[in-house]
Amino acid sequence: MDLETGIHQNHFKKESWRTVLTLAYQSLGVVYGDLSTSPLYVYTSTFADDIEHSETNEEIYGILSFVFWTLTIVPLLKYVFIVLKADDNGEGGTFALYSLLCRHARVNPLPSSQVVDEDLSMYKNDIINPAPSTLSARLKSALEKHRVLQKFLLLLALIGACMVIGDGVLSPAISVFSAVSGIELAMSKGHHQYIEVPFACIILIALFALQHYGTHRVGFLFAPVVITWLLCISSIGIYNIFHWNPRVYRALSPYYMYKFLKKTQRGGWMSLGGILLCITGSEAMFADLGHFSQLSIKIAFTSIVYPSLILAYMGQAAYLSQNHVVDNNYRIGFYVSVPVVGSQAIITGTFSIIKQCSALGCFPRVKIVHISSKTHGQIYIPEINWILMLLCLAVTIGFRDTKSMGNAAGLVVITVMLVTTCLMSLVIVLCWHQSVILAICFILFFGTLEVLYLSAALIKFLEGAWVPIALSFFFMSVMCVWHYGTLRQYEFDLQNTVSVDRLLSLGPGLGIVRVGGIGLIHTDLVSGIPSIFSHFVTNIPAFHQVLVFLCVKTVSIAHVKHEERFLVGHIGLREHHIYRCVVRYGYRDARVDDVKFENDLICSIAEYIRTGREGLDNAGEDSVKQREEMMVVGTPSTHLDGIQVCEDNDVANTELASTSELREIQSPPVIKPRKRVRFVIPKSPEIDRNVQDELRALMEARVAGVAYIMGHSYVRAKQGSSLMKKMVINFGYDFLRRNCRTNTYVLNVPPASTLEVGMVCHI
């Protein structure tokens, strides 16, 4: 399906209020499920073992004060009013902040980055160089010069990404288990676990089985349930406030936090890990930003979610202030009504962060299914979905305890928020060009609160907090091994490139011949001829009449406009008929790999021949730079006034188009029935004879067929490498390469037209 047309404009055109309100409605079912169900387990986790509820109510008032100000400072003030503004062309999440910083600091996170990529229209948005004498300019210069700082920035982004993945494991488990644990109230104490654990597992399996339907359907399915839940807990909260303790509003004063910590001391500090759970799911507002819009997320949170949660927590506090011994004789209807809803937000965010990591070369390639042809952010990753499901089931069966799950989930949540705070402080200076003092105030204000919660979460390492650390360590190892191996392999390919003159000079000695057709060589390089092709020619001294070195790469922006996607250039002299085409995608773009892509590729080369040859006709023989200069070429889907490809199955009909605006260059008729390829070109000044010959050669090669030459490198550590490097390359990276998906481009290549060339690379 064609997901490109109009996708990149979704976040930049003015949205109608109807669209905004529709997105706000959907966001309630996708983004706020986890945050909305947190009242199920916050008070339970807080009063677990660390503190006890006394007759003075200082504990419950202090907890309510902490909950109120934590909800106000973190989700409302930090995320809604500040962090959401730091989007990367409409995209959010840890890697969106990292990409934004790399672009403004001129740091290339990808080895295939080119200077011409900076000319992309979305790349240049709001990039202003700071004054040389400012601290912002010094910080920018330090990031550009010191690779250690660049690696630290990448490591920080990876930590945040790994914690988001860990949250995708823990949040569904705790949300579902907390909801179904209400069954405990209706069962005898000795038998409830035998029912609630299997019941929770069944719901988790159903939850992950629904994911392939996409965010749009899930959002509309869950939104009414979330709205009903929020209205009910807020109504019950209002009833409890007026019925049990109308003066509970006094506990909103920060003074009660001081009294709480003064009385409970170490126990109160340790209980902050339970209070922390009131903001689980807040990071989903930013991670899922690409699925919705800033305004829709702000409207949903400020008008419905935030007031409903405050009323619910106040109502619970009012009830507990008059009922110090809970007899468990309250209704449990809502406990089993929204378990699935509370898990959707972070699962969707996990899919998004995995796609961003994979596109930026920090995660093995996975299958990405685009559910919707209208909204680019609605994706589904089967492998990640089922891995998350298995890990969720393992956590649920292993813990069987809300307290331990809460300790684990709390550490994940606060770590992601702390990483976001650190990255945001850099965004304030480098991207927003604000004062360094403002950035320091930002990190001190929010960072101090988050470090306080982090310390309380870490103290419970042996009580469940070790799980996210173990999960993060595993995913971090996978990401680092993949990134290191990919980078080293690219450097090997770059160092072993050959020039076209060197390749053609081997022709007489090897007896190289040119055969009909187009040879499409897939490579990760954006310059030079890959060593795998010279390896192929050395062993089989023949290659096609027209050669195209195709590089499909990701750039460090969210989206690339379709009219800027193809970058075409000529390698060597014109009579060599050797071209380079770089296809650029944003890290959130849907990749279209089918017959239409092949036609667009051929058309882009033909358009380049027609419009981009003037400068190269006068290029000197020794001017390699001029001969490999590339230009952006439009495609038929976006430039209807450019060259079009037309294929006819009926060769008897050989007459030209009869319109006055179009002229055609046709391939010669053939005797046996086969497709006839025509280039339909717009009316323009008379085409040069050499250009006509080059276009005709391209058409003849297209008629003969396209052969896909795919390189397959077997990577090994070179002799003399350290034991650690041998373990990473020979076992870790090799295992990931053999078990991950191939390039999406390769999946749609006809097997009969594919030639795979193997080569051992010692890095």
Side-chain angles (χ1 to χ4, degrees):
M1 67 177 64
D2 186 3
L3 305 179
E4 306 302 333
T5 306
I7 282 177
H8 55 268
Q9 297 175 349
N10 288 347
H11 298 283
F12 300 97
K13 63 183 180 181
K14 186 176 181 180
E15 296 175 316
S16 64
W17 277 106
R18 181 178 180 180
T19 302
V20 171
L21 294 178
T22 301
L23 290 174
Y25 173 77
Q26 293 180 9
S27 70
L28 288 170
V30 176
V31 177
Y32 296 111
D34 195 6
L35 191 62
S36 300
T37 54
S38 58
L40 289 173
Y41 44 80
V42 168
Y43 283 109
T44 303
S45 300
T46 305
F47 282 107
D49 294 323
D50 303 316
I51 57 175
E52 294 182 359
H53 191 15
S54 65
E55 296 291 336
T56 61
N57 288 327
E58 291 182 350
E59 294 85 2
I60 190 62
Y61 289 163
I63 292 173
L64 175 60
S65 184
F66 264 106
V67 168
F68 172 76
W69 287 106
T70 302
L71 277 172
T72 302
I73 292 174
V74 178
L76 184 63
L77 181 59
K78 176 185 172 181
Y79 278 94
V80 171
F81 290 109
I82 300 177
V83 176
L84 285 180
K85 296 180 180 179
D87 65 303
D88 184 18
N89 291 314
E91 302 300 329
T94 304
F95 260 80
L97 291 177
Y98 173 69
S99 174
L100 195 65
L101 288 169
C102 289
R103 196 161 66 251
H104 281 77
R106 306 289 181 180
V107 175
N108 293 324
L110 297 169
S112 59
S113 299
Q114 297 171 279
V115 177
V116 70
D117 294 338
E118 299 180 7
D119 294 331
L120 291 168
S121 57
M122 292 191 180
Y123 192 100
K124 297 186 295 184
N125 284 349
D126 302 327
I127 296 183
I128 303 174
N129 291 324
S133 59
T134 61
L135 289 176
S136 176
R138 296 176 186 175
L139 180 60
K140 177 176 178 292
S141 177
L143 275 175
E144 293 174 352
K145 293 179 180 178
H146 298 89
R147 294 186 59 85
V148 175
L149 295 178
Q150 298 175 18
K151 291 181 180 179
F152 177 76
L153 190 63
L154 175 61
L155 183 64
L156 197 62
L158 290 179
I159 291 174
C162 291
M163 285 295 176
V164 169
I165 298 172
D167 201 6
V169 174
L170 295 167
S171 287
I174 189 175
S175 296
V176 172
F177 193 82
S178 297
V180 301
S181 63
I183 298 177
E184 174 184 355
L185 304 176
M187 303 295 297
S188 61
K189 221 169 191 182
H191 297 88
H192 73 272
Q193 285 190 351
Y194 294 103
I195 292 182
E196 66 181 11
V197 173
F199 191 37
C201 292
I202 292 172
I203 293 177
L204 283 171
I205 293 173
L207 166 67
F208 286 99
L210 286 173
Q211 296 305 311
H212 73 279
Y213 289 107
T215 305
H216 177 76
R217 293 182 179 89
V218 173
F220 271 106
L221 175 65
F222 289 163
V225 184
V226 173
I227 293 175
T228 303
W229 168 257
L230 290 172
L231 291 177
C232 287
I233 63 174
S234 59
S235 300
I236 294 173
I238 294 173
Y239 168 81
N240 285 334
I241 291 171
F242 285 99
H243 181 74
W244 295 107
N245 189 352
R247 297 184 178 182
V248 73
Y249 68 89
R250 296 179 178 179
L252 302 182
S253 170
Y255 173 69
Y256 284 90
M257 292 190 291
Y258 167 74
K259 291 182 65 176
F260 171 75
L261 292 177
K262 182 180 179 180
K263 179 179 180 180
T264 58
Q265 297 182 357
R266 186 176 186 274
W269 168 61
M270 294 179 65
S271 70
L272 294 179
I275 299 174
L276 168 63
L277 298 178
C278 72
I279 53 175
T280 56
S282 299
E283 70 281 1
M285 289 192 289
F286 190 47
D288 293 339
L289 181 60
H291 299 230
F292 305 99
S293 65
Q294 288 187 29
L295 186 57
S296 63
I297 290 178
K298 290 179 179 179
I299 289 175
F301 183 79
T302 56
S303 62
I304 299 178
V305 178
Y306 178 74
S308 298
L309 289 177
I310 296 300
L311 289 173
Y313 285 116
M314 290 179 65
Q316 285 182 321
Y319 175 84
L320 292 174
S321 67
Q322 302 299 321
N323 298 270
H324 301 110
V325 179
V326 180
D327 59 2
N328 291 342
N329 288 326
Y330 51 89
R331 296 185 180 272
I332 61 170
F334 287 107
Y335 273 79
V336 294
S337 62
V338 290
V340 175
V341 176
S343 313
Q344 182 59 40
I346 199 60
I347 296 175
T348 304
T350 302
F351 289 158
S352 298
I353 202 72
I354 288 290
K355 181 183 178 183
Q356 294 176 21
C357 292
S358 180
L360 294 177
C362 296
F363 198 86
R365 291 182 294 267
V366 291
K367 180 181 180 181
I368 298 175
V369 180
H370 293 266
I371 304 299
S372 174
S373 60
K374 297 180 180 179
T375 307
H376 66 276
Q378 295 183 7
I379 62 174
Y380 167 68
I381 306 178
E383 297 98 325
I384 301 301
N385 184 68
W386 302 123
I387 290 175
L388 290 179
M389 185 194 74
L390 293 176
L391 292 175
C392 278
L393 293 177
V395 168
T396 303
I397 297 172
F399 279 146
R400 290 175 293 179
D401 177 23
T402 304
K403 176 190 172 184
S404 299
M405 293 183 191
N407 294 336
L411 180 60
V412 166
V413 169
I414 200 61
T415 304
V416 174
M417 292 181 177
L418 188 58
V419 169
T420 301
T421 298
C422 295
L423 294 177
M424 270 301 304
S425 63
L426 294 175
V427 169
I428 291 173
V429 177
L430 296 177
C431 305
W432 293 353
H433 306 291
Q434 299 297 320
S435 170
V436 175
I437 297 177
L438 182 62
I440 294 175
C441 292
F442 177 87
I443 198 171
L444 286 178
F445 181 71
F446 294 105
T448 301
L449 177 64
E450 290 162 357
V451 167
L452 178 64
Y453 279 122
L454 180 63
S455 63
L458 285 174
I459 202 68
K460 299 183 178 181
F461 178 82
L462 297 178
E463 301 176 26
W466 61 270
V467 173
I469 295 178
L471 289 174
S472 299
F473 178 78
F474 171 76
F475 285 109
M476 176 68 74
S477 300
V478 171
M479 289 182 176
C480 290
V481 168
W482 181 262
H483 182 70
Y484 176 79
T486 304
L487 194 61
R488 289 294 175 264
Q489 184 181 353
Y490 186 88
E491 291 175 352
F492 174 87
D493 292 338
L494 195 62
Q495 293 170 1
N496 291 273
T497 56
V498 295
S499 66
V500 65
D501 295 330
R502 170 64 177 167
L503 185 65
L504 295 175
S505 66
L506 299 175
L510 297 176
I512 294 179
V513 296
R514 305 289 290 267
V515 297
I518 297 177
L520 204 58
I521 300 96
H522 189 275
T523 176
D524 292 329
L525 298 178
V526 295
S527 62
I529 295 177
S531 57
I532 197 125
F533 182 71
S534 62
H535 176 70
F536 165 72
V537 172
T538 303
N539 290 274
I540 304 177
F543 55 86
H544 295 80
Q545 174 187 356
V546 174
L547 283 180
V548 180
F549 290 92
L550 175 66
C551 174
V552 180
K553 73 170 188 176
T554 303
V555 294
S556 59
I557 58 175
H559 305 287
V560 175
K561 293 183 178 180
H562 202 50
E563 56 266 26
E564 298 177 323
R565 177 140 300 152
F566 289 91
L567 193 63
V568 184
H570 210 287
I571 300 178
L573 300 176
R574 182 167 56 194
E575 53 266 24
H576 293 162
H577 301 303
I578 303 177
Y579 307 92
R580 184 185 310 283
C581 184
V582 178
V583 187
R584 302 176 291 184
Y585 288 93
Y587 61 79
R588 291 297 299 271
D589 279 331
R591 297 197 177 190
V592 182
D593 305 302
D594 50 16
V595 176
K596 182 179 180 298
F597 173 81
E598 181 180 300
N599 288 335
D600 283 353
L601 176 64
I602 302 300
C603 276
S604 66
I605 296 174
E607 187 70 16
Y608 168 75
I609 294 172
R610 184 178 74 91
T611 61
R613 302 304 311 146
E614 292 81 359
L616 296 179
D617 288 337
N618 300 322
E621 295 290 332
D622 58 346
S623 182
V624 178
K625 182 178 179 180
Q626 284 184 329
R627 283 185 279 160
E628 294 200 16
E629 185 178 355
M630 307 182 75
M631 64 175 289
V632 178
V633 180
T635 59
S637 59
T638 54
H639 292 277
L640 299 178
D641 57 344
I643 289 183
Q644 309 284 322
V645 169
C646 181
E647 294 185 353
D648 295 331
N649 292 320
D650 183 10
V651 297
N653 183 14
T654 58
E655 59 180 301
L656 300 178
S658 58
T659 65
S660 59
E661 297 181 356
L662 299 177
R663 293 180 292 115
E664 299 175 351
I665 297 179
Q666 304 182 52
S667 58
V670 291
I671 298 176
K672 61 181 180 180
R674 62 188 304 181
K675 287 185 178 180
R676 180 168 58 90
V677 179
R678 297 178 295 162
F679 280 158
V680 183
I681 63 176
K683 185 176 181 180
S684 61
E686 196 64 31
I687 298 179
D688 181 80
R689 181 71 179 178
N690 293 331
V691 174
Q692 291 186 23
D693 293 340
E694 195 170 356
L695 286 172
R696 184 169 287 108
L698 181 61
M699 278 189 298
E700 293 174 357
R702 180 68 176 84
V703 171
V706 179
Y708 300 85
I709 302 175
M710 320 301 299
H712 185 83
S713 299
Y714 296 87
V715 181
R716 293 290 182 271
K718 62 183 178 181
Q719 292 184 351
S721 300
S722 64
L723 179 62
M724 177 62 71
K725 183 176 181 180
K726 290 180 180 179
M727 293 287 293
V728 169
I729 297 298
N730 295 348
F731 296 98
Y733 184 63
D734 182 67
F735 175 82
L736 293 175
R737 275 179 57 88
R738 286 188 286 106
N739 290 278
C740 75
R741 296 266 178 171
T742 56
N743 285 319
T744 55
Y745 170 78
V746 179
L747 297 177
N748 294 284
V749 171
S753 304
T754 304
L755 178 63
E756 188 171 290
V757 182
M759 182 178 177
V760 178
C761 301
H762 295 279
I763 61 177

